[in-house]
């Protein structure tokens, strides 16, 4: 019984660490500035990315996958975006602060595709 409880606590702690680590990596990638050319191509209004721009920016990212075929896609980012969007539908009306948080998270997801494309196009030093 003790070993099963220890295993369950370890799995929960490891899962929590993995989620926080992935979220930190996502925020780090999203912190890369998006070029003006990408914002114009995506027809982003006033140069300010909103959650509704995610589909457009991820479509632009999809066009750059041929530059570096070994790079991964945006599957987990899309999943995270959909989960946050779904939670906002259920909890947004009951908890107004959750709506603000979910919008900021979805903006991070929207900025991630062009940031990954820009990072992929940078030459690496050897």
């Amino acid at each position: 019984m003790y070993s099963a409880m220890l295993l369950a606590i370890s799995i929960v702690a490891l899962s929590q660490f993995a989620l926080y680590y992935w979220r930190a990596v996502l925020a780090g990638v999203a912190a890369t500035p998006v070029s003006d050319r990408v914002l114009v191509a995506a027809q982003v209004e006033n140069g300010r990315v909103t959650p509704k721009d995610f589909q457009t920016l991820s479509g632009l990212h999809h066009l750059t996958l041929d530059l570096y075929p070994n790079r991964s896609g945006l599957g987990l980012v899309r999943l995270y975006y959909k989960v946050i969007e779904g939670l906002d539908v259920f909890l947004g009306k009951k908890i107004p602060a959750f709506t603000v948080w979910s919008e900021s998270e979805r903006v991070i997801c929207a900025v991630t595709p062009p940031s990954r494309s820009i990072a992929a196009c940078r030459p690496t030093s050897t």
Side-chain angles (χ1 to χ4, degrees):
M1 181 66 180
Y2 177 73
S3 60
M5 186 173 67
L6 185 60
L7 178 65
I9 291 171
S10 299
I11 290 172
V12 168
L14 183 63
S15 300
Q16 185 178 15
F17 173 76
L19 180 66
Y20 287 149
Y21 176 75
W22 182 79
R23 170 66 181 80
V25 168
L26 182 67
V29 170
T32 306
V34 180
S35 75
D36 292 334
R37 291 187 293 173
V38 172
L39 294 176
V40 169
Q43 300 175 346
V44 173
E45 299 173 5
N46 302 327
R48 186 172 166 90
V49 177
T50 61
K52 66 180 181 177
D53 298 322
F54 177 73
Q55 295 300 327
T56 304
L57 291 170
S58 65
L60 287 175
H61 174 73
H62 183 69
L63 294 174
T64 64
L65 288 179
D66 291 337
L67 294 174
Y68 288 90
N70 294 334
R71 301 280 178 158
S72 62
L74 295 173
L76 290 177
V77 176
R78 288 180 199 270
L79 176 67
Y80 185 66
Y81 182 85
K82 293 291 184 187
V83 167
I84 296 299
E85 189 177 45
L87 287 173
D88 187 40
V89 169
F90 290 118
L91 299 175
K93 294 177 183 175
K94 297 177 183 176
I95 307 170
F98 186 82
T99 302
V100 174
W101 176 80
S102 70
E103 184 170 333
S104 68
E105 290 296 304
R106 289 184 289 150
V107 166
I108 289 173
C109 289
V111 173
T112 300
S115 297
R116 288 187 61 158
S117 299
I118 292 166
C121 292
R122 287 192 188 128
T124 57
S125 58
T126 56

